[in-house]
Structures are given as C-alpha cells and as structure tokens.
Amino acid sequence: SSRSNANQNNSTSRVVMVKARAYTVAFLLTWSWFTILLVVEIVGREVPIAVWYLSAFFTPLQGFWNLIIFMYPKVMKAK
C-alpha cells in the first residue's frame, strides 16, 4: 500500500514535470522571436524581415500550444 502510493506519487510528479517542461518550451518558442525583435529595435538596428515573420507567426500560437499541452493527456486517456 505504501509502495503503491509512492509509485503513484512518483508517476504524478513525472507527469507534472513533463507538462511544466512542455509549457516552458511553448512559452520560449512563442515569445523568443518577439523578444529578439524588441531587443533589436531597442538597440536601434533594423529588424530582419525573417524575425518579423517568425514573431507574427508564433505569437498568436500561444493559445494553440496551451490547448495542445492541456488536452494531450485527456486525448491519450480517451484512447
């Protein structure tokens, strides 16, 4: 019983850690381009067009990444 609870707690901790990492990667993937854009602008340099496009593409996807991360365990459990 005690060993079963320990294994369940360890499994739950692992799931939480994986989810936290996924949210962190989603945040970095989404906001790194916008941050680079701001830093380059503040420094006074011209922002490369690729950074503008990457920022414009990834920033609106924050909610999508969050939905995917949130729903993934539920979808896997439903299978």
Side-chain angles (χ1 to χ4, degrees):
S1 173
S2 176
R3 183 173 281 178
S4 172
N5 283 343
N7 286 341
Q8 187 176 3
N9 287 343
N10 193 15
S11 177
T12 302
S13 294
R14 192 170 305 128
V15 168
V16 169
M17 181 56 112
V18 168
K19 213 169 195 182
R21 285 182 181 164
Y23 279 116
T24 301
V25 168
F27 177 84
L28 292 174
L29 182 63
T30 299
W31 292 104
S32 60
W33 301 109
F34 188 72
T35 303
I36 291 168
L37 186 146
L38 288 178
V39 169
V40 170
E41 252 185 11
I42 289 170
V43 169
R45 300 245 170 119
E46 185 176 341
V47 179
I49 193 72
V51 175
W52 279 105
Y53 281 121
L54 288 167
S55 177
F57 179 76
F58 281 105
T59 303
L61 290 177
Q62 179 71 56
F64 174 73
W65 303 133
N66 289 341
L67 175 68
I68 295 299
I69 295 164
F70 179 78
M71 292 301 293
Y72 182 77
K74 293 167 182 29
V75 170
M76 289 295 113
K77 189 181 264 189
K79 282 187 172 183

